[in-house]
Amino acid sequence: MGLFSIVTKDLGIDLGTANTLVAIKGKGIVLKEPSVVAIDVKTRSILATGHEAKEMLGRTPGQIKAVRPLKDGVIADLTATQLMLKNMMRKVCDKYAVKRPRVVVGVPSGITEVEERAVEEAVLQAGAREVFLIEEPMAAAIGANLDVAEPSGNIIVDIGGGTTEVAVISLGGIVVSNSVKIAGDDLEEDIINYVKKELNLAIGETTAEQIKMQIGCALPLVTDSTMEIRGRDLTSGLPRNIIISSTQIEAAMKESIIKIIEVIKNTLEKTPPELASDIVEKGIILAGGGALISNLDKLISIQTGMPVYVTESPLDCVVKGAEKTLYELEKLKDVLLNSRRR
């Protein structure tokens, strides 16, 4: 290892629909912020990113636009994504004296070549010297400390904000994968719709996210949890507070959770028998924010008849995997999407 490789500070990025995480090689995660950007519509200049911009969602006057530039795991607004990334990378680069880093970015496994190029373009515009793309389930598996290079099957389920990715990994490659655009955002949408339809109350994304995180569950809890929420009464138009229970939220999210489990089952059905026997032994690994929903692991286990384990710090798996990949770019070049085009 030469002096250059010791002093270069390269970055791993999880460019997620809900959150963007940045890690510096050898230092770990240095930034974890919501994937939100606030832009002045007239000047097209950036006003805020991350937590500050998220506070503005649904609260901005006409000249300010607070947006989530990624939808279903891919870039929906390239300009806004570039502005957001530039701002977040500048924060990291200024604070840690990083200059023109090489960057490994986690992207959904169902991404098209056009979308790949959009991500590359956004990261290069934000100041990277070189960009490598890695599929999120592969990055999550590496971040969860699975030995992806061994000739043995591992299955990982990464439930993010915009997509759920399921992948069977063996010999450093994805053997079978499935990606569905049903994930954390959809569960929040389910909660908004349920509260509107059943309780005649309008709530926003932020409240729905709080409900999902505090009392969301996939199977009934031992004791029913409740929380007080505030919204707008759809009849009177006035603010109103109500108490909502985990049983109600389980009912609200049920359909989407069943769809996620169907994708896991479909992937298992397509898995070669030799790898399937490895998976039965090792179980299913859950990563991503969705893995934190109470009893989801139990429900998946009941539905598949297999053991299910939630990784340690599931929200960080993809960015940790991207950071680890920086150490072994040469060895792992076959798992990098865009290195196949070079």
Side-chain angles (χ1 to χ4, degrees):
M1 190 186 273
L3 179 66
F4 181 74
S5 56
I6 294 169
V7 296
T8 70
K9 291 178 181 172
D10 294 331
L11 304 180
I13 297 179
D14 173 7
L15 185 59
T17 306
N19 297 291
T20 296
L21 288 81
V22 181
I24 293 179
K25 182 180 172 184
K27 198 170 188 68
I29 299 165
V30 293
L31 182 134
K32 190 188 284 192
E33 296 212 344
S35 300
V36 185
V37 58
I39 297 165
D40 185 308
V41 178
K42 285 178 186 163
T43 62
R44 291 301 286 168
S45 61
I46 199 160
L47 298 171
T49 58
H51 296 291
E52 210 183 319
K54 192 178 181 183
E55 291 294 312
M56 299 180 186
L57 278 175
R59 294 190 171 99
T60 56
Q63 78 273 19
I64 299 170
K65 189 169 79 163
V67 293
R68 292 175 62 178
L70 293 112
K71 186 165 172 52
D72 299 330
V74 292
I75 293 175
D77 183 333
L78 183 58
T79 310
T81 304
Q82 286 175 340
L83 288 169
M84 181 184 81
L85 262 174
K86 221 175 230 180
N87 190 288
M88 288 182 176
M89 276 176 66
R90 191 177 292 132
K91 274 186 202 173
V92 170
C93 293
D94 289 353
K95 188 173 179 182
Y96 298 96
V98 177
K99 284 187 174 63
R100 299 203 62 235
R102 291 184 306 173
V103 180
V104 171
V105 190
V107 293
S109 57
I111 195 169
T112 65
E113 206 166 297
V114 172
E115 288 161 347
E116 280 181 32
R117 289 185 196 282
V119 175
E120 278 182 76
E121 180 65 23
V123 180
L124 287 167
Q125 286 286 327
R129 180 172 89 244
E130 214 175 346
V131 185
F132 302 94
L133 306 180
I134 184 169
E135 289 168 288
E136 278 164 5
M138 179 60 86
I142 294 168
N145 296 321
L146 299 183
D147 190 348
V148 296
E150 65 178 38
S152 168
N154 287 293
I155 185 166
I156 188 141
V157 180
D158 180 18
I159 306 165
T163 55
T164 294
E165 312 266 342
V166 187
V168 174
I169 294 166
S170 177
L171 284 168
I174 292 176
V175 181
V176 187
S177 73
N178 251 324
S179 175
V180 65
K181 290 177 178 180
I182 298 169
D185 289 353
D186 299 86
L187 298 176
E188 286 161 28
E189 194 64 38
D190 291 342
I191 293 167
I192 290 169
N193 293 335
Y194 179 91
V195 171
K196 187 177 183 177
K197 198 172 150 194
E198 303 294 326
L199 307 166
N200 202 38
L201 197 74
I203 58 167
E205 283 175 29
T206 309
T207 305
E209 186 184 12
Q210 286 166 350
I211 295 168
K212 179 186 78 174
M213 288 164 76
Q214 279 186 43
I215 60 169
C217 58
L219 284 171
L221 301 174
V222 180
T223 50
D224 205 19
S225 293
T226 59
M227 75 181 275
E228 188 175 11
I229 59 164
R230 170 174 286 187
R232 191 181 78 248
D233 188 293
L234 289 167
T235 308
S236 69
L238 300 172
R240 175 162 68 98
N241 286 20
I242 60 161
I243 302 286
I244 196 159
S245 73
S246 56
T247 305
Q248 289 171 302
I249 300 310
E250 183 208 339
M253 302 192 302
K254 195 168 194 169
E255 259 181 66
S256 292
I257 285 175
I258 287 168
K259 285 175 187 167
I260 288 170
I261 293 172
E262 283 306 312
V263 176
I264 299 170
K265 285 181 174 176
N266 289 343
T267 311
L268 287 166
E269 282 164 18
K270 291 179 195 160
T271 303
E274 288 79 6
L275 297 179
S277 60
D278 297 335
I279 290 165
V280 169
E281 207 177 295
K282 295 179 186 175
I284 296 167
I285 309 296
L286 290 191
L292 296 169
I293 291 168
S294 292
N295 290 341
L296 181 58
D297 51 344
K298 287 183 186 157
L299 181 59
I300 295 170
S301 184
I302 291 164
Q303 293 283 334
T304 60
M306 292 168 67
V308 178
Y309 307 101
V310 177
T311 63
E312 201 184 320
S313 57
L315 285 162
D316 305 340
C317 279
V318 172
V319 76
K320 280 181 177 171
E323 184 203 353
K324 280 186 181 177
T325 304
L326 288 161
Y327 284 95
E328 304 192 52
L329 278 175
E330 203 47 49
K331 184 180 161 192
L332 291 169
K333 70 171 183 289
D334 289 343
V335 308
L336 299 168
L337 289 176
N338 47 348
S339 67
R340 297 170 199 166
R341 295 203 312 260
R342 289 177 183 183

